[in-house]
Amino acid sequence: MLEDPVLTAAREQAAELGISSVSRGEGAALRVVAAVSNAKAVVDVGTGTGVSGGWLLRGMRRDGVLTTIDLEPEHQRVARRVFAAAGNPPSRTRIISGRALDVLPRLADRAYDLVFVDHDPSEYAAVTAAAERLLRPGGTLVLAGALGGGRVSDPTIRDAETVLLREAVKTIRDSDAWVPAILPLGEGLLVAARAH
């Protein structure tokens, strides 16, 4: 999947800062999910340098607003520049600095079309619970790294992060609140529609 120079530069900046970003394929999938859902209000947990946010903004409605959360102000400064360089006015993004589990409770119930999470896998269960509250019926949750690079499907791997990730994926899979699928992109992209 082709990526424009703004997102390529953001990806390079992420590498320089030692943080991972979504792959081009994952980014294209995010764009499609945002477009298919006609997303107007999106939450991006884990701003990074704005790669995922850039892809999401490309798929969202033109009047849509991306709310993005990250603990690192430096990452957010880079992301703000990336969003502006891509031609997005400041009114299209709401950049919030803080821990996801502190910020998410302050966001409005059933007000969002899409929640994308590329964050600490040990918090995926708690973030998923928050997303269930935030999403309107039919809204979409997307978790990056859902297969943990193949570790999740191997029951012999029992490190704490893998176990927590495995449990979060299982909870979504087994819940009547979600209609899930895992796309084999990157380290696994779990896409789950919130049941009506």
Side-chain angles (χ1 to χ4, degrees):
M1 178 57 54
L2 292 177
E3 186 171 66
D4 68 45
V6 172
L7 288 180
T8 299
R11 183 180 305 288
E12 290 167 359
Q13 287 180 298
E16 288 170 14
L17 291 170
I19 56 176
S20 63
S21 53
V22 296
S23 69
R24 288 172 179 82
E26 289 172 301
L30 291 175
R31 180 181 181 193
V32 168
V33 170
V36 167
S37 60
N38 197 30
K40 182 176 181 180
V42 175
V43 177
D44 177 18
V45 181
T47 309
T49 57
V51 177
S52 57
W55 280 105
L56 288 164
L57 284 162
R58 282 163 175 74
M60 292 169 61
R61 292 171 35 167
R62 293 198 182 277
D63 62 342
V65 176
L66 175 74
T67 298
T68 184
I69 304 164
D70 202 294
L71 189 58
E72 297 294 333
E74 175 59 23
H75 299 171
Q76 292 181 323
R77 279 191 287 279
V78 174
R80 187 174 276 112
R81 289 193 302 267
V82 167
F83 299 150
N88 295 295
S91 60
R92 285 211 68 201
T93 57
R94 180 169 67 149
I95 300 173
I96 303 173
S97 184
R99 288 184 62 245
L101 297 182
D102 294 334
V103 174
L104 292 171
R106 300 193 319 249
L107 301 182
D109 292 2
R110 296 180 180 258
Y112 295 90
D113 304 301
L114 173 61
V115 174
F116 173 64
V117 184
D118 188 5
H119 178 58
D120 178 357
S122 70
E123 295 186 350
Y124 272 20
V127 172
T128 297
E132 188 174 343
R133 180 186 58 79
L134 296 173
L135 287 167
R136 62 170 175 75
T140 307
L141 168 67
V142 182
L143 298 180
L147 294 176
R151 297 186 320 274
V152 169
S153 61
D154 183 346
T156 65
I157 299 176
R158 305 288 305 161
D159 65 274
E161 182 176 299
T162 302
V163 169
L164 288 168
L165 184 55
R166 186 179 294 129
E167 289 170 358
V169 169
K170 182 180 184 313
T171 298
I172 293 168
R173 186 189 68 219
D174 294 346
S175 172
D176 291 336
W178 301 105
V179 180
I182 294 184
L183 306 179
L185 298 168
E187 292 195 5
L189 206 60
L190 186 147
V191 180
R194 192 177 182 315
H196 293 277

